[in-house]
Amino acid sequence: MKYFFPFMMVLVILSGLSLIVTPYIGEYIFPASKTTLRAADPEQAKQALADWFNTSPASLSDVQAIKQVSAQVNNSWFTFKADAPPVKNFILQNRLKQQDLTPETLQKVFMAQTPAIPWWQPAALERQTCFIGTDEGQEIGLIYHAELRTGFIVIRTRTKPAKF
């Protein structure tokens, strides 16, 4: 009985230290901030855009896409060439709001967290407006130039933290 209370005190102190160190060890083994970046297959990207625009894949050309996945948010960037009617239907279907394309909007919506990819140049379209909206938890930004038949789309999906 003489060593019982000192043993309990050491046990409580070591338990507290282990609780302090556990999150750091867990982050080292299972990093929550891990980010992966991958280019999409052009045919799969074309099919995805065709599904969104409710048109045939043949009506789209020069489709390029890249996706960035992290624990907090998934970002997807697309560029494409298409006629105006499917793009207009997409805007109406997703209830995107037309907004002025200010330098702040361009930076915040279209250039934030953008990886260094040479084809992502939405400012090159020299548009005055863009279309922005939220659909089923996804933030959508679209810039489209009808005369050039060229568009840029960025889609951000915030991932929900797992509940224990």
Side-chain angles (χ1 to χ4, degrees):
M1 193 68 163
K2 177 178 166 182
Y3 298 108
F4 178 73
F5 289 112
F7 175 73
M8 286 299 292
M9 192 178 338
V10 168
L11 185 63
V12 169
I13 291 170
L14 289 176
S15 297
L17 289 174
S18 69
L19 288 174
I20 292 170
V21 174
T22 300
Y24 297 106
I25 294 171
E27 178 66 23
Y28 180 76
I29 295 172
F30 305 107
S33 59
K34 182 179 179 186
T35 301
T36 59
L37 183 67
R38 61 187 160 113
D41 175 58
E43 291 304 313
Q44 290 177 345
K46 185 185 281 192
Q47 184 61 51
L49 282 177
D51 291 344
W52 287 342
F53 291 162
N54 200 16
T55 188
S56 71
S59 66
L60 299 166
S61 63
D62 297 339
V63 176
Q64 295 186 51
I66 194 162
K67 185 170 187 168
Q68 183 180 47
V69 178
S70 71
Q72 295 81 20
V73 66
N74 295 336
N75 294 310
S76 300
W77 296 272
F78 294 86
T79 184
F80 63 93
K81 288 190 181 288
D83 291 326
V87 178
K88 287 179 184 177
N89 290 337
F90 176 78
I91 292 167
L92 295 173
Q93 188 177 28
N94 291 291
R95 294 185 215 112
L96 302 180
K97 304 277 189 252
Q98 187 171 4
Q99 296 182 6
D100 290 335
L101 185 58
T102 63
E104 294 82 23
T105 303
L106 182 67
Q107 183 62 35
K108 182 182 173 189
V109 176
F110 295 96
M111 300 307 287
Q113 302 172 345
T114 304
I117 44 179
W119 53 263
W120 185 255
Q121 300 294 326
L125 291 181
E126 299 178 355
R127 298 283 77 196
Q128 303 296 318
T129 60
C130 63
F131 300 91
I132 298 173
T134 303
D135 183 45
E136 297 178 12
Q138 294 181 329
E139 299 169 20
I140 302 171
L142 168 67
I143 300 175
Y144 182 71
H145 192 298
E147 290 83 27
L148 297 176
R149 300 179 53 241
T150 303
F152 291 90
I153 296 179
V154 61
I155 299 174
R156 273 187 194 86
T157 306
R158 306 235 181 255
T159 56
K160 296 179 182 175
K163 295 183 181 179
F164 295 100

